[in-house]
Amino acid sequence: MQYTDGSFADVKSISQQAMCRYWARTAGNLRFPSLDQFRPEARLHDPKQLIIWSVERRADGHTFRALYQGASVGEVFNSSWAGKSMEEILPPALKEFGLAAAEQCVSGGCAIYNVFSTYNSGGHTIECERLLLPLGREGRVEQMVGSLQLISMAGSFKRETVIRHFEWKTDVSCAIRIYFRRSPAIITMTSEEREARRTS
């Protein structure tokens, strides 16, 4: 899979883009924030759509083990991921690029944004936007936060059955890595974040 360099503006999801900006602001002058620092409010991004992975180093690469799995993610995959590795839980059709994206996130210390799509039985497109953000200390990635958002071009769908369509056919239409470069444009709060702060 070929990755291209992009910016937060390339992230289509409003809530995922807001989380990218929060991640950058929380990092301050560091490459990325630690897990203790990273505490986005539920109004900024629904925690039911999040996954937190620990990063375990091996001689031949990394193992990514689930520390937290949001309820919506559990519904889509029809399983509990607690303590399991990414390699164990990803369906075969999603495993190669899923693991490759995680490796890109850890090795580059950068945000990774993917969009992949499939079709339902009526021929309508279903897209999944996946965002990975590195977390850690002293420039070492120790965890990753993942966000999954499903979008159907034909309206509603059943979370508990949608994974079957991705297992049948998956096309990757977007593969972007985003290196954090501090600038006013990157760290400016979105309108949703300003509203959340005003009402908190």
Side-chain angles (χ1 to χ4, degrees):
M1 184 192 312
Q2 293 295 317
Y3 278 84
T4 59
D5 291 337
S7 70
F8 294 157
D10 295 315
V11 178
K12 294 194 296 184
S13 163
I14 293 172
S15 63
Q16 287 182 341
Q17 188 176 128
M19 196 164 72
C20 282
R21 295 180 190 279
Y22 170 82
W23 170 77
R25 283 198 314 279
T26 306
N29 294 320
L30 303 174
R31 288 183 65 198
F32 36 76
S34 68
L35 180 61
D36 291 338
Q37 294 172 309
F38 191 79
R39 292 287 184 266
E41 294 186 14
R43 285 173 292 182
L44 178 65
H45 195 290
D46 187 351
K48 291 187 288 189
Q49 296 175 325
L50 295 181
I51 312 106
I52 300 177
W53 303 95
S54 69
V55 179
E56 301 173 3
R57 281 162 173 81
R58 310 180 313 222
D60 60 342
H62 300 92
T63 296
F64 310 103
R65 198 169 302 281
L67 295 176
Y68 169 83
Q69 176 191 27
S72 295
V73 179
E75 289 177 14
V76 169
F77 286 87
N78 301 305
S79 64
S80 172
W81 292 358
K84 295 182 179 178
S85 71
M86 189 182 295
E87 192 166 12
E88 288 178 288
I89 56 88
L90 286 182
L94 307 177
K95 188 172 294 186
E96 183 178 353
F97 69 79
L99 290 170
E103 287 287 352
Q104 281 275 337
C105 181
V106 171
S107 62
C110 57
I112 296 293
Y113 176 67
N114 295 116
V115 179
F116 41 96
S117 60
T118 188
Y119 305 92
N120 64 16
S121 54
H124 300 292
T125 301
I126 301 172
E127 286 189 341
C128 180
E129 298 178 45
R130 183 198 196 209
L131 175 70
L132 291 174
L133 297 171
L135 304 174
R137 291 167 294 182
E138 299 179 358
R140 180 184 176 94
V141 180
E142 299 171 331
Q143 297 89 20
M144 289 184 304
V145 172
S147 166
L148 293 177
Q149 293 199 359
L150 290 166
I151 301 166
S152 172
M153 303 307 166
S156 63
F157 56 85
K158 292 183 178 179
R159 281 198 187 100
E160 60 271 22
T161 59
V162 72
I163 191 65
R164 298 176 194 165
H165 299 291
F166 284 102
E167 289 174 341
W168 169 67
K169 181 176 177 59
T170 301
D171 295 316
V172 181
S173 58
C174 178
I176 294 174
R177 58 179 172 247
I178 304 168
Y179 293 99
F180 169 43
R181 297 177 180 89
R182 176 161 292 280
S183 73
I186 285 178
I187 64 174
T188 300
M189 283 191 294
T190 65
S191 58
E192 289 81 5
E193 291 175 285
R194 284 194 293 272
E195 178 63 18
R197 178 169 292 187
R198 187 183 67 81
T199 56
S200 60

